[in-house]
Amino acid sequence: QKGLVSASLANAGAEGWAELRRATGAAAQFRRAARRGADGGGEGGGGGETRGDKGVGGRWGYDILNRCAGVPESSCHKEEEESIPCEPSEEKLVRTLEVLRVNLLQLQGVDHAAQTFGATVLFHFRMPGGALDEDLMCDLHEKDAEFPKDTGRPGAKWFLQQVDFPTALDYTMQQQKAVQIGSDLDIVVRVRGTFFESMELEDFPVDLQRLTVVIAFNCANEGVVPLRFGGLQNVAHSVNTNTFALANVWYLHPSLVLERAVLELMPGRTYPALNVTAIVERRPNAFLTNAVLPVGVLGLISLSTFLLPYDDTADRMELSITILLTSATYKLFTAASIPEVAYWTLLDRYIISNFLIMTHITINGAVIGYFDSQEAHVVLAILNTFFYVVAHARFAYGYSCARRNNAMVVLKELGFEINDDVFERYHRLTATKKPASARASRWSRAARWLPASTRLSRVTPARLSRASRQCSTTEDRLARPSSGPLAAVSGEPPRSARVHPVEAAPPLPGSAPAEETSRRPPTLRELESRGQGGST
């Protein structure tokens, strides 16, 4: 029966194809019959009386049968001798890729001028039950896997070759393998490269950047082998902050943000992707010291020209022009460290505001000399002082808002509860010049010397300083105290209390041997017993 219907399909024209497709309803059976015909019978298309595995359909019939899609399973014909399962071809077999682990092994070269950064990332994916699928295991040990045109179901090695990084300037695959773990199939990808990132610098130098590495698979959702990523709730992700060489310039947050995405490279063609984002926040101390402070001082010095007599126009103009030229020269000197973008950053607005104020002061010096009036001198001095205060207040307000917005963005993305105490601790942690690892270790060492009833969320620098002062007595240097606010905590003493044991001095001749006294203060029961004995 298969042979007869296959031969009729091979000889049918374009006009009768739709009617025959509805009448026979055997898409999956014809596909297998044509495959056997291609392997066993070559190009023969006239074997209507023979079985399908002896030459049914031929290559032309096989190409036609590939177009057969969406035939219901109930309409398929089955043989009595050999039962061939029917598979509706409209329902595509969508492969699911679960994300097990993402590690940011190294982050280096954050360049806001070139809008690039360098990173080394390790991805660990899993295909559940992939080891039980013969199609996925067929090319596991092959070096170069090709797409199987006969089955249309590629193996795991082929999927591994479809990995792509759309935002990479250049990258090197350090590791790329697919291994069998029990009944599952795991895919491991380790990449090192330079990636593009459109950095947002409106709040420079207190900006926060999201550095995103995009990994995609060249398996279109509209294609024959679509792929999708599983849930991201139980993904293990980490950031290696110890290898971050720019810790004095940026604060690298120890968590990643993962999200699924869809890339539309052309209309009607989408591809699955995974965005891995590391959050870095700039430490603004260097720019505050080298840019903000000198410009502010120059603006303050320019205000001092109003201290000269109102009729001393020549000296006032000479001093104002000198300060103005100094400010312009300093602006050119610091231009290399300021990002070149098409909009004004927070630092640009501050520098330009001070430059305009100094220009206004210079012009006012000529105006005062023209009118030769004490009243004009006083009014312009007050007006320029007001402009100077407003410019610096605006910069301080923008600086504070940027820091708070950065903290809110990070805490929301990392899932923290937002309150004033969290904001305060976050700012103290990110404002330090020391690397985050050193800061965390210092906090952990100090926390071990706090009372057991004190929670880590209540740790403040004031409490740490009080605890360190309590550890600085001679008695605490010789031995660990067993009472007071430091007695209930276990752990070894801090470095300041680690000293070599001191040998006791020999007793004086004729004196009684010294009894060993406990460093623990007497308890309430001991005090009561002493009170009964009269020694209280």
Side-chain angles (χ1 to χ4, degrees), residues 135-382:
D135 294 327
L136 289 176
M137 298 293 294
C138 64
D139 60 353
L140 188 61
H141 303 290
E142 296 182 6
K143 185 176 180 180
D144 295 326
E146 297 181 357
F147 185 83
K149 297 182 179 180
D150 52 353
T151 61
R153 294 186 177 183
K157 199 74 172 183
W158 183 86
F159 282 105
L160 191 59
Q161 295 175 357
Q162 307 308 310
V163 175
D164 189 21
F165 297 91
T167 61
L169 176 63
D170 59 76
Y171 66 91
T172 303
M173 301 294 292
Q174 295 183 342
Q175 189 177 9
Q176 193 176 16
K177 63 179 180 180
V179 294
Q180 178 182 353
I181 305 295
S183 60
D184 301 326
L185 200 60
D186 286 17
I187 294 178
V188 179
V189 177
R190 177 172 176 171
V191 62
R192 180 178 183 179
T194 303
F195 302 89
F196 291 110
E197 180 62 41
S198 179
M199 299 186 181
E200 301 174 359
L201 299 169
E202 289 86 354
D203 297 329
F204 178 86
V206 285
D207 53 317
L208 180 142
Q209 303 298 336
R210 300 174 181 85
L211 307 180
T212 303
V213 177
V214 181
I215 180 172
F217 283 81
N218 294 328
C219 304
N221 297 324
E222 297 79 13
V224 294
V225 281
L227 181 71
R228 68 179 181 184
F229 290 101
L232 304 177
Q233 292 80 11
N234 300 322
V235 179
H237 54 85
S238 63
V239 177
N240 189 359
T241 58
N242 296 325
T243 59
F244 187 47
L246 302 176
N248 292 327
V249 182
W250 298 88
Y251 174 73
L252 175 60
H253 291 271
S255 298
L256 297 174
V257 179
L258 308 180
E259 60 179 354
R260 290 176 292 184
V262 176
L263 299 180
E264 188 175 1
L265 302 181
M266 60 183 70
R269 203 73 171 174
T270 58
Y271 297 86
L274 178 67
N275 295 342
V276 179
T277 304
I279 302 176
V280 293
E281 186 174 357
R282 192 188 304 272
R283 302 184 190 274
N285 300 336
F287 293 94
L288 295 179
T289 305
N290 299 322
V292 175
L293 181 61
V295 172
V297 171
L298 289 175
L300 185 62
I301 294 174
S302 65
L303 289 175
S304 64
T305 59
F306 290 100
L307 299 178
L308 297 175
Y310 71 94
D311 56 351
D312 195 357
T313 306
D315 293 340
R316 183 183 301 107
M317 291 297 297
E318 181 181 358
L319 180 58
S320 299
I321 292 175
T322 302
I323 296 174
L324 185 62
L325 293 177
T326 303
S327 176
T329 305
Y330 188 80
K331 177 65 174 65
L332 296 176
F333 178 75
T334 58
S337 59
I338 299 177
E340 298 179 1
V341 290
Y343 48 85
W344 283 3
T345 64
L346 180 63
L347 184 60
D348 289 333
R349 291 193 293 268
Y350 173 77
I351 294 177
I352 292 175
S353 298
N354 280 270
F355 188 80
L356 292 178
I357 291 174
M358 287 183 280
T359 304
H360 189 258
I361 292 174
T362 304
I363 297 174
N364 289 341
V367 172
I368 294 173
Y370 177 78
F371 288 101
D372 196 15
S373 172
Q374 179 68 25
E375 291 78 7
H377 179 79
V378 174
V379 170
L380 292 177
I382 296 175

